[in-house]
Amino acid sequence: MLDAQQRHRLEAAQGAWHVDALTIGADGSGCWLVRVGIPIDTEDAGWRMFVELLSACASRLLEIEYLRLEVKRTDRARHIQRALFAIATMASSDLDMPEMLHGIHEVIAELMYAENFFITLYMPESDSLRFLYIRDSVDTTPTSLEVDLPVSSIPDSLTVAMIRSGESQMGPSVEIRRRFGLGFNPQLGPESEDWLGVPMSGSGDIRGAIVVQSYLPDVRYTEEDRALLQYVAQHVLTALERKQARDELELRVEQRTRELAEANRVLQHEISERERGVRVQSALFRIAERASTADSLDEFYAAVHGIVGGLLNARNFYIALLSDDGESLDFPYSVDEIDPVRPSRRLGTGVTEYVLRTGRALLADRASIEELTAEGAIATYGPRAYSWLGVPLICNERTVGVLAVQSYDDASHFSAADQELLTFVAYHIANSLERKLAQDSLRVAYVELEGRVEERTRELGRANRDLTRQIGERERIEARLMHQALHDTLTGLPNRALLLERLDQALSRYRADPAQVFSVLFLDLDRFKVVNDSVGHLIGDELLKQVAQRLASACGDALVARLGGDEFAVLVEQHADVAHAASVAQNLLDALVEPVRVGDKEMFTSASIGIAHVEPHYQRAEELLRDADAAMYRAKAQGRQRHEIFDEKLRMEALRALDLEGQLRRAIARNEFEPHFQSIVSLSDARAVGFEALLRWNHPERGILLPEDFLGAAEDNGCIEQIDWLMFTQACEQAQRLPDHTYVSINVSASHLRSPGFEESLLHVLSRSGLSPDRLRLEITEGALLDEPEQTRRVLLRLRHAGILVQLDDFGTGYSSLSYLHQLPIHALKIDRSFVADLSTRGSSMAVIRAIIALTESLGIEVIAEGVETPEQRKSLIELGCRMGQGYLFSMPAPVARINA
């Protein structure tokens, strides 16, 4: 805003400058709009004053616009922060998965247009998608959620194509399909006016995708939306993983609770059975007691009636005994509501005689009795009962009588349990009839039974104590698991998960207050592998424990974490400028100077440390660890036992590595890798007998690249296997353009030999190319023989059976046992080029080569010399008896087209 004096000076200059119009802005901004009518003398002092004032006005306008944009960006960041906080809160809440996903949808909808939205997970092990959440305003076709959908069942899917590419995609769906070369599949929904999808990646792998789309012509997505969705997607993936982990934990807790409930139910059942057993045993005890104390049988029978009546319904009860002559049936005791007197009778066909005759218990209702009567098995005496239960009285394996109860009430029926109980009681009643003979044995049996009851009671008490102890143990295990999830089991230090959590918190504090700086130190022990290889992992573990203690003591209040192996990290927060972080790093190095005593061994160790200091461009904790790791590797390259700070040079190297990774993935998609063939010849006449396929990258800008220029990066980012299979396929296809009498050899790594189904995949490639199996050979190194030799042997034998031969590459430089040469199906071995190069100086390698040739001749194995570059080497090899060779003397590696030219 111009002050009054500046406004006055500007108006005064208007006439002197011949200005047609000069007005003050009506918007209150204080800006002046000028239209110049005639040429103005630029040397005039008034004109210079006008220009200065106009410049001040323009600067003020720019300042206001800048502040407005800053406010807008701040509001946007605040919205994003609230959204991420909401996602994290939902992941930690008690919401089930659909409710949480719906909440995530609402959060994202607040940040961008997301009326049409879905989240899917990708399972690489089964190559399938699992849709967790779908909302679409146009495509209302029901989609099964939480069901694995094979990728092969959804051809031309944009989502699958995006996941395969590993990069986000944005634009009309038609344009994206054209970009990927996809057709239109109407089963996957209609075309959208604008489509935006981003992959969700974790630990270097694509774990899924988030997609939003618009069917409205006037609703489009921007690069800002893409960046925002990419950023939010990682937090959504973290939330999903946390939610799934929590759900899995809850399922395990629920399962354990069910198991405990089932154990409790079984325990209660056992207690009930024990109580029932106690009642039965008590009844038997009283029967035995009455048998010993009763003055007469009548008194004993009455006592038995009372005891049985305590166990079941015995209002109508009688005891029938077979007479001594076995011709009649006596009823020494009978109580009946309807028929109180039950006289003796001759044996007949009554229901009592039926039990006596069969020697088995009978449980019958009125219908069963009538059925037996109709069959002629029994004849009824006296009033008919609704339910009748009779059991035999057996003494000395002979049925001597019947114990029976009956009910005239249709509402009262006996059960199988009553039958079992009465049968059991009847057995003891029968024995009581011989009480004088069995009195002593009954007393002993009772003592033993009481002991078993007491022992069972003690067992149940112990089981109850065990159950209580298990519950307490489970609670302790849960607490220990929580601690173990955030701490290293070997050293007790915080682990990577806890470190990343603390790093995220520190990064959040730094974003809120840039004065709260911090640094991350990445520490790796120097040559620790030598310790493990020389004295063993137990000594190595003990060394790690003592090193961890020293690091923790040397860091003070800083957080020391073990990342894995011999890698540690330190989070320095207080007074954490670069100089202080370097001081802490030096303290750590000094702490490792003194020797470490492990058992009776005195060991020395050192470390290399990389330091990454927080900067505004860091967005994730993993980025700080990555840069500190890069600085650590530079410290190792500079000589170890030192620290290095991550700087712009390292950043550029990291960017170049990242760029190379992207180029590798694009090269795979563009099929830029190709085989170059180098001939394997007969040394006597230089006639080609075979070719080795060598990997080359036909880079569109840098030309032909050798493997050493890119294989390291390919192995780091995990695309080496794709490159190998491209190489295998092209080598087999192009081999048919080579002379028919020659073979082609391809290099196979040990990882392929360990891979399940490798031989089937290779034979499939071979079959599809049309190349005969006897024209293909595999080259493996000696190291591959040492890595799971039995697995390697099975794979090589299956390939040999299919007609594919194997050559052992770089022989003489590895550590393999010579026994593998006759245990494994090795057809040929290739003498390493280092031995051949030494032939020019007539060194000791001549004796080595002579021994190798003698060994192969005795085993019937072909031998090929690698690296033949001079006529003298060729001549020496022929003199030593070597028949085949390979090297620049005969040919350089070249594409198949140049070989046939």
Side-chain angles (χ1 to χ4, degrees):
M1 183 74 70
L2 298 179
D3 56 25
Q5 183 179 1
Q6 290 173 326
R7 186 187 299 265
H8 175 72
R9 291 166 60 190
L10 191 59
E11 290 173 345
Q14 182 176 3
W17 302 333
H18 304 284
V19 176
D20 288 346
L22 187 63
T23 59
I24 298 176
D27 56 358
S29 64
C31 301
W32 294 66
L33 306 177
V34 181
R35 179 166 56 86
V36 181
I38 61 175
I40 299 174
D41 184 4
T42 58
E43 298 298 328
D44 182 69
W47 170 254
R48 288 197 300 273
M49 179 178 64
F50 174 76
V51 170
E52 291 174 358
L53 294 174
L54 190 61
S55 175
C57 180
S59 298
R60 183 58 178 168
L61 272 175
L62 292 176
E63 182 180 356
I64 292 172
E65 180 61 19
Y66 173 76
L67 291 176
R68 186 183 64 81
L69 292 176
E70 281 298 311
V71 170
K72 181 178 179 181
R73 281 195 293 269
T74 302
D75 290 341
R76 183 70 166 172
R78 188 180 300 109
H79 287 315
I80 295 174
Q81 186 176 15
R82 282 202 300 267
L84 297 181
F85 178 76
I87 292 174
T89 302
M90 285 185 284
S92 303
S93 68
D94 295 330
L95 296 175
D96 56 20
M97 184 65 76
E99 291 175 335
M100 187 192 77
L101 295 175
H102 180 70
I104 291 175
H105 181 195
E106 292 180 343
V107 169
I108 294 177
E110 292 178 0
L111 301 176
M112 65 179 68
Y113 177 76
E115 183 177 358
N116 308 291
F117 170 88
F118 65 83
I119 299 176
T120 182
L121 293 182
Y122 174 65
M123 277 65 67
E125 62 276 1
S126 60
D127 195 26
S128 61
L129 296 181
R130 181 183 299 168
F131 287 90
L132 302 180
Y133 183 84
I134 297 178
R135 290 294 183 273
D136 198 295
S137 61
V138 175
D139 183 9
T140 58
T141 303
T143 302
S144 299
L145 299 179
E146 296 291 342
V147 175
D148 291 352
L149 188 62
V151 168
S152 58
S153 67
I154 48 174
D156 300 319
S157 168
L158 290 181
T159 306
V160 172
M162 178 196 66
I163 291 175
R164 296 275 196 235
S165 70
E167 298 177 351
S168 64
Q169 301 294 328
M170 184 175 70
S173 58
V174 175
E175 179 182 332
I176 299 176
R177 292 186 191 283
R178 188 181 307 112
R179 190 183 309 157
F180 284 115
L182 302 176
F184 174 65
N185 187 348
Q187 296 180 351
L188 302 181
E191 299 284 9
S192 57
E193 293 291 335
D194 206 8
W195 193 92
L196 171 58
V198 297
M200 297 190 297
S201 59
S203 303
D205 298 325
I206 302 300
R207 305 293 302 277
I210 294 180
V211 175
V212 294
Q213 53 187 336
S214 169
Y215 299 109
L216 305 176
D218 56 344
V219 177
R220 302 285 180 170
Y221 297 106
T222 64
E223 287 297 331
E224 182 180 1
D225 293 331
R226 186 209 293 252
L228 174 60
L229 194 59
Q230 286 177 326
Y231 181 64
V232 172
Q234 302 311 313
H235 290 77
V236 171
L237 178 60
T238 301
L240 289 175
E241 291 175 344
R242 289 175 58 190
K243 189 65 177 178
Q244 289 174 342
R246 179 173 178 176
D247 290 345
E248 290 174 1
L249 178 60
E250 290 178 350
L251 286 176
R252 290 196 296 272
V253 171
E254 182 181 354
Q255 180 181 359
R256 184 55 181 162
T257 303
R258 287 197 300 269
E259 292 173 355
L260 293 175
E262 177 62 19
N264 184 61
R265 187 191 64 79
V266 172
L267 180 62
Q268 294 296 331
H269 178 71
E270 291 180 355
I271 293 174
S272 176
E273 287 296 315
R274 184 179 68 84
E275 292 175 347
R276 181 173 179 270
V278 169
R279 289 196 303 271
V280 173
Q281 296 303 327
S282 176
L284 297 178
F285 172 75
R286 284 184 287 150
I287 291 173
E289 182 183 30
R290 298 303 295 174
S292 301
T293 60
D295 295 333
S296 64
L297 285 177
D298 292 338
E299 183 180 345
F300 171 71
Y301 293 146
V304 168
H305 181 200
I307 293 171
V308 172
L311 300 176
L312 49 83
N313 177 18
R315 290 196 301 271
N316 303 288
F317 174 89
Y318 67 87
I319 297 175
L321 296 176
L322 189 63
S323 62
D324 294 337
D325 59 7
E327 297 295 331
S328 61
L329 194 62
D330 298 328
F331 298 91
Y333 185 83
S334 176
V335 174
D336 195 282
E337 296 174 329
I338 299 177
D339 191 4
V341 179
R342 201 178 298 272
S344 299
R345 67 170 182 259
R346 299 284 296 177
L347 287 178
T349 57
V351 65
T352 304
E353 288 87 339
Y354 179 83
V355 174
L356 192 65
R357 190 167 57 249
T358 60
R360 297 193 303 269
L362 175 64
L363 173 61
D365 56 12
R366 180 170 291 184
S368 300
I369 294 174
E370 291 176 350
E371 182 178 349
L372 290 172
T373 302
E375 293 174 356
I378 64 173
T380 59
Y381 296 91
R384 292 189 301 169
Y386 279 101
S387 182
W388 190 91
L389 172 59
V391 296
L393 296 173
I394 300 175
C395 292
N396 298 325
E397 299 182 358
R398 185 173 69 89
T399 303
V400 298
V402 175
L403 180 67
V405 291
Q406 54 187 340
S407 172
Y408 299 110
D409 184 1
D410 190 29
S412 178
H413 291 266
F414 300 108
S415 64
D418 295 330
Q419 176 182 330
E420 181 183 359
L421 177 61
L422 196 59
T423 301
F424 185 62
V425 172
Y427 170 76
H428 291 276
I429 293 174
N431 287 338
S432 296
L433 294 175
E434 305 292 332
R435 61 186 181 280
K436 298 300 182 184
L437 298 175
Q439 191 173 29
D440 294 340
S441 61
L442 283 174
R443 187 179 299 110
V444 172
Y446 172 75
V447 172
E448 293 177 353
L449 182 61
E450 187 66 23
R452 288 198 300 271
V453 171
E454 292 178 358
E455 178 62 26
R456 184 57 179 162
T457 302
R458 287 194 294 270
E459 290 177 358
L460 292 174
R462 287 195 296 269
N464 187 53
R465 289 193 298 271
D466 291 343
L467 183 61
T468 303
R469 186 169 57 252
Q470 289 176 9
I471 294 174
E473 182 66 20
R474 180 174 66 84
E475 294 173 349
R476 289 191 292 273
I477 289 173
E478 289 177 354
R480 186 166 62 250
L481 288 176
M482 182 62 69
H483 182 272
Q484 290 176 353
L486 298 176
H487 290 78
D488 177 52
T489 56
L490 178 65
T491 64
L493 293 177
N495 61 10
R496 178 184 292 269
L498 182 54
L499 174 68
L500 290 176
E501 180 180 331
R502 292 285 298 275
L503 274 175
D504 284 332
Q505 296 171 2
L507 202 55
S508 298
R509 289 193 294 270
Y510 171 74
R511 293 194 190 102
D513 181 9
Q516 298 192 33
V517 295
F518 62 93
S519 298
V520 177
L521 282 62
F522 196 106
L523 182 146
D524 183 86
L525 298 183
D526 297 328
R527 302 178 63 80
F528 180 74
K529 185 176 184 299
V530 176
V531 175
N532 278 338
D533 294 343
S534 59
V535 297
H537 289 276
L538 293 178
I539 300 296
D541 289 346
E542 188 60 33
L543 175 62
L544 286 175
K545 292 179 183 178
Q546 297 197 29
V547 166
Q549 293 175 0
R550 292 191 181 186
L551 296 180
S553 300
C555 288
D557 296 333
L559 175 69
V560 182
R562 183 185 179 213
L563 303 180
D566 59 342
E567 294 180 342
F568 298 85
V570 180
L571 172 60
V572 182
E573 295 187 85
Q574 296 183 356
H575 312 293
D577 54 12
V578 176
H580 179 67
S583 175
V584 173
Q586 188 59 47
N587 291 341
L588 295 174
L589 294 176
D590 295 341
L592 299 178
V593 170
E594 294 297 323
V596 179
R597 177 163 292 279
V598 181
D600 58 349
K601 297 182 181 297
E602 190 175 70
M603 308 177 68
F604 292 85
T605 187
S606 62
S608 300
I609 302 176
I611 303 173
H613 189 68
V614 66
E615 297 290 345
H617 65 270
Y618 286 116
Q619 299 297 321
R620 300 170 58 232
E622 289 82 356
E623 297 174 1
L624 279 158
L625 272 181
R626 177 200 63 200
D627 291 349
D629 187 25
M632 182 272 295
Y633 277 108
R634 184 165 71 177
K636 283 188 178 293
Q638 296 294 329
R640 298 187 174 91
Q641 198 172 359
R642 58 185 294 135
H643 62 81
E644 291 289 337
I645 300 174
F646 187 81
D647 53 17
E648 190 61 31
K649 180 180 177 181
L650 275 176
R651 190 183 309 281
M652 295 306 297
E653 291 177 359
L655 290 175
R656 282 195 294 271
L658 184 62
D659 182 59
L660 179 59
E661 179 180 342
Q663 292 181 22
L664 282 170
R665 297 193 182 278
R666 288 191 291 273
I668 293 174
R670 298 170 182 171
N671 204 22
E672 294 176 358
F673 296 100
E674 60 184 31
H676 283 205
F677 298 90
Q678 186 178 33
S679 61
I680 301 172
V681 304
S682 170
L683 291 177
S684 60
D685 56 7
R687 178 178 56 86
V689 298
F691 293 87
E692 181 179 359
L694 302 171
L695 175 63
R696 296 293 185 268
W697 182 3
N698 191 357
H699 197 282
E701 298 175 359
R702 299 168 60 187
I704 300 298
L705 299 183
L706 299 179
E708 52 264 29
D709 296 329
F710 59 86
L711 271 190
E715 291 174 350
D716 291 339
N717 66 13
C719 65
I720 183 64
E721 186 170 348
Q722 293 177 268
I723 296 175
D724 283 347
W725 282 108
L726 288 174
M727 179 70 177
F728 297 162
T729 302
Q730 293 190 48
C732 291
E733 293 174 350
Q734 297 181 19
Q736 299 203 80
R737 299 166 59 184
L738 298 173
D740 293 339
H741 66 278
T742 62
Y743 64 85
V744 62
S745 65
I746 57 176
N747 291 279
V748 176
S749 66
S751 62
H752 283 299
L753 296 177
R754 294 193 305 268
S755 177
F758 164 72
E759 59 272 28
E760 288 81 0
S761 300
L762 182 63
L763 292 173
H764 178 69
V765 169
L766 186 65
S767 173
R768 191 171 55 189
S769 68
L771 183 68
S772 174
D774 59 4
R775 292 191 62 195
L776 178 65
R777 295 189 182 184
L778 306 185
E779 291 196 12
I780 61 175
T781 62
E782 292 180 88
L785 303 180
L786 294 175
D787 195 358
E788 299 188 12
E790 284 303 317
Q791 168 72 6
T792 302
R793 181 174 180 272
R794 288 194 295 269
V795 172
L796 297 184
L797 285 174
R798 285 196 289 267
L799 293 175
R800 179 68 172 266
H801 182 72
I804 300 175
L805 303 180
V806 177
Q807 299 182 163
L808 188 58
D809 198 12
D810 299 332
F811 184 77
T813 61
Y815 303 95
S816 65
S817 170
L818 293 178
S819 63
Y820 289 137
L821 292 180
H822 68 82
Q823 291 179 359
L824 297 174
I826 305 298
H827 179 76
L829 60 83
K830 303 178 76 173
I831 301 175
D832 187 71
R833 62 180 64 250
S834 62
F835 298 113
V836 176
D838 197 38
L839 289 176
S840 301
T841 61
R842 292 288 175 176
S844 59
S845 65
M846 183 171 293
V848 176
I849 295 176
R850 184 180 291 111
I852 293 175
I853 293 174
L855 175 65
T856 57
E857 288 178 350
S858 64
L859 295 175
I861 297 176
E862 293 181 0
V863 62
I864 302 169
E866 290 186 300
V868 183
E869 298 181 355
T870 66
E872 291 78 10
Q873 294 172 346
R874 175 184 181 184
K875 180 179 179 182
S876 298
L877 289 168
I878 293 175
E879 291 174 353
L880 290 172
C882 182
R883 297 183 178 85
M884 286 176 287
Q886 175 183 355
Y888 292 159
L889 178 63
F890 307 107
S891 67
M892 301 289 288
V896 67
R898 194 182 304 169
I899 294 175
N900 293 327

